[in-house]
Amino acid sequence: MTARSAEALEPTRAFGATAERFLRTAVHSMTHSPAFRAQLDGMLTLPEQDRRRLVEEFADHYRRGSHTEPVRVKLLTLIALVGQDLDGLPLEEERAARLEAVSRSHSFWYAERYEALAKVEIAAGRTLSPAVIATVRRSAMNAYGDTGLVEFAGQLTGPVLNAGEEWADRAMADERRRELLTHALTAKAAKPSAAWEKRGRALLDGLGGDAVREAVVGWLALVGRPRTIELVRGEYEPDVNNAFDPFNADALRGLAWLLSFLPPHPATVRALGTLVESALRKAAGIGPRNPKVANAAVNSLARMEGAAALAELARLGTRVTYKGTAKLIDAALETRAAALGLSREEIEELAVPAHGLTEVGRAEFRMGEAVALLEVRGNRAVIGWRNAAGKQVKSVPATVRRDHAEELKELKAAVKDIDKALSAQAERLDGQFLARRRWAYGQWRARYLDHPLVGTLARRLIWTVDGTAVGFADGQLRTLTGAPLEQDAAQATVELWHPVGREPAEVVAWREWLERYAVTQPFKQAHREVYLLTDAERNTGTYSNRFAAHILRQHQFHSLAAVRGWRNRLRLCVDDCAPPAVRELPRWGLRAEYWIEGEGSEYGVDTTESGSYLRLRTDQVRFYPIDAPQNEASTYGGEYTMRLPGGREAVDPLPLAGIPALVLSEVLRDVDLFVGVASVGNDPTWSDGGPEGRFREYWTSYGFGELNQSAETRRVLLERLVPRLAIADRCTVEGRFLHVRGELRTYRIHLGSGNILMTPNDQYLCIVPGGSAGTAGADTGYLPFEGDRTLAVILSKAMLLAKDTDITDPTITGQIRR
């Protein structure tokens, strides 16, 4: 090698060494390392030709293909960082491919500096795709103080919202709404400021309030639908495709606020209520999808005048379990109650709308020459039609579809509203047993018995009028003997009847009364389980082990507990403490506790990807004064101890013998419900005992063992129902089982779990309810109450198996004919 060629090679070696050092620093960190920042700043001061030589060094490294994929990605980024403001940078296609990959991600870690690739594209005069812009915006929202990324995201021009959500795509399709959406995006506080509201009202005036309401309500109806641009979910990433886009979420908050500035309208109220529920629907690894959006919708409902908004808040109060949003709803209802000088309970009663019903459970609507008949049947609303000749027809008349499309749309929306309201009101009434509510007779008739919607539920319940138990049948209140209520009830007091403290003969008589008048109660009342103190509980004194040592599916238990008014924290497989599941009973000055702990220790087998336990192990039920200090235990399991802040003294649990019989019964009924619904013993696919067969013994003992109180109630009822079934000659109730004689086998269906054994040799038969087996929805005839899914499953399985030669599902026939 000549001296001249050696001299020429020396700078190249120097740049190669510089590039190597910079690459090693970058591999460690592109943001946090002061060494990296110092080296980058130094390189950006070099002459253009030197920077180009460094860029080419990085490109050569990339082309060699000897580096791992993460390092190759960093090389592309280093080319963009060092070569910023330079034209003609190498590896254009490779950078574009990397940006395309980035666009399929929810976001990137700010330290990866992918925005540098986007800046190069913009500098070259190329347009970023909406998907890339969306990823950059989402990443900037988690930039942890990286002002560069935040500033860059704020400078991007493109779609006003992030593409990829159906509602946002629809909203952006109309350029006339761009200014409205831009303003909605600035809704970043808990409530709108005076300036924000002033600007919003001006926009509404300019665009037309009715037109905006119609558009926004249409957009909100699309919130939560599957993404139009599906994202690639990382190995440990939450379910980002089921989450709200956090950038667009601000716009949803703003749109909810804007709706509250318009005159009240049923469609607005309906849309905001649906938005609350959609925003609180849970996504794996995230929890509620976006509580801030839900809270904005609640605040908007609270700002609106009129009975419809108040009714929606009251309905949400029975449905929402997320603590923060539930507190907002409670505060809104309490504020409205205080303003009207009423109690919270009275507000909830007065807030129930008729939803278009003109008499109890019924309304007629004329649309041209046709008539729509809206009726409440059981727990749902249905629409029937009569044509111009007065003849009933099965489908919507063509003239109605053609000439009355908007009225038909509103009628169908009313049906959905009624179905939601019926569910919420049934739950509210079911919670009245512990509320100690009493009504003046006239007040009760107006708010309950004769209310167009609530009356459909109240007329299927048993009440006491000045101590006389009555039900509604054949158009009037009747006593147990069937005689009309004759006393002057004008000054009477009405209460909800409960079987606790009643003679068994009276309870049985009321069950027969329901059958005589074919009344199906909206929930168990005459057939309600009563939990009396047992000898074992008298011996333990302060706790009940009646529902201990069960294995429950944690997330199902958690949801059900919230619906029943219990507070609970999901157990995570981490070093933390948590209180037991708790139900506070302020009217009684009591707090009920159900002690639980996480089950298992193997991450990914006993937990979800995010670390929450899949299953719980249950322990004692206890009662304390409502203001007693809180008990806590490790989430890994172990003994509960009372936390004593500020030097408070420990408080002993209360003797069970001193707990009022109604309270004890209702609390234990809740706990029995948790076990009956959430136990893994109910799962017909768990005959192998679950992971490593650990729960085989429990599954067998629960799935075919002694009946709990609710299953005993089911057994007594089936003894009365079976003789009336079309398959009565093939069925008998014996002990813990409903025996069904088919053509191929005889089957025993357990009355607690619904699991099935076949003769001979008690061979297990797995039938999953609601699947292709077609067990759900069989016509089982009259049932005296709604809500017992296990009873419906048992009856439908019996219907199926009595005609086992007609079964075509190979997953079932393969087991039967084995």
Side-chain angles (χ1 to χ4, degrees), residues 141-283:
M141 298 182 76
N142 295 308
Y144 302 104
D146 188 330
T147 55
L149 176 56
V150 174
E151 289 173 2
F152 174 66
Q155 294 165 2
L156 289 174
T157 58
V160 61
L161 301 177
N162 277 354
E165 291 184 312
E166 189 173 346
W167 80 265
D169 296 345
R170 177 77 62 84
M172 291 187 291
D174 188 349
E175 274 295 319
R176 295 173 299 172
R177 317 288 186 195
R178 185 178 181 89
E179 194 173 3
L180 187 78
L181 293 172
T182 300
H183 183 60
L185 269 172
T186 63
K188 300 183 184 298
K191 295 181 180 180
S193 66
W196 198 98
E197 181 173 346
K198 181 178 179 180
R199 174 60 179 156
R201 288 186 180 276
L203 287 169
L204 293 173
D205 290 342
L207 294 169
D210 289 344
V212 171
R213 184 193 67 245
E214 184 176 356
V216 173
V217 166
W219 301 340
L220 296 187
L222 304 176
V223 172
R225 289 195 179 184
R227 287 183 57 86
T228 56
I229 300 176
E230 188 172 0
L231 301 173
V232 176
R233 183 180 178 186
E235 183 178 1
Y236 299 107
E237 196 171 18
D239 186 4
V240 292
N241 284 301
N242 196 30
F244 284 9
D245 188 303
F247 184 83
N248 292 348
D250 285 338
L252 285 175
R253 295 167 75 184
L255 293 173
W257 292 352
L258 288 167
L259 287 178
S260 72
F261 303 157
L262 297 171
H265 189 280
T268 301
V269 170
R270 192 179 299 127
L272 289 173
T274 301
L275 181 60
V276 172
E277 293 179 299
S278 178
L280 294 180
R281 196 163 294 128
K282 293 183 178 180

Side-chain angles (χ1 to χ4, degrees), residues 583-596:
R583 182 172 183 183
E584 293 182 342
L585 305 164
R587 300 266 177 160
W588 304 85
L590 296 172
R591 181 181 81 217
E593 296 186 353
Y594 190 25
W595 288 10
I596 54 177

Side-chain angles (χ1 to χ4, degrees), residues 22 25-26 28-42:
F22 193 33
T25 304
H28 174 68
S29 173
M30 285 190 178
T31 296
H32 292 301
S33 169
F36 174 82
R37 290 199 299 270
Q39 289 180 51
L40 177 60
D41 290 343

Side-chain angles (χ1 to χ4, degrees), residues 96-108 129-136 138 227 229-234 237 240-241:
R98 173 48 48 184
L99 270 180
E100 172 63 23
V102 169
S103 75
R104 296 195 299 272
S105 301
H106 177 269
S107 55
F108 57 82
S129 72
V132 170
I133 292 173
T135 302
V136 172
R138 290 191 294 264
R227 287 183 57 86
I229 300 176
E230 188 172 0
L231 301 173
V232 176
R233 183 180 178 186
E237 196 171 18
V240 292
N241 284 301

Side-chain angles (χ1 to χ4, degrees), residues 15 40-58 78-86 89-90:
F15 278 112
L40 177 60
D41 290 343
M43 289 182 180
L44 293 177
T45 64
L46 294 173
E48 178 181 329
Q49 64 181 26
D50 291 343
R51 280 205 289 152
R52 285 191 182 278
R53 294 178 71 177
L54 280 171
V55 164
E56 286 300 333
E57 285 288 337
F58 294 136
L78 290 177
I79 291 172
L81 288 171
V82 177
Q84 55 189 276
D85 302 326
L86 301 180
L89 294 179

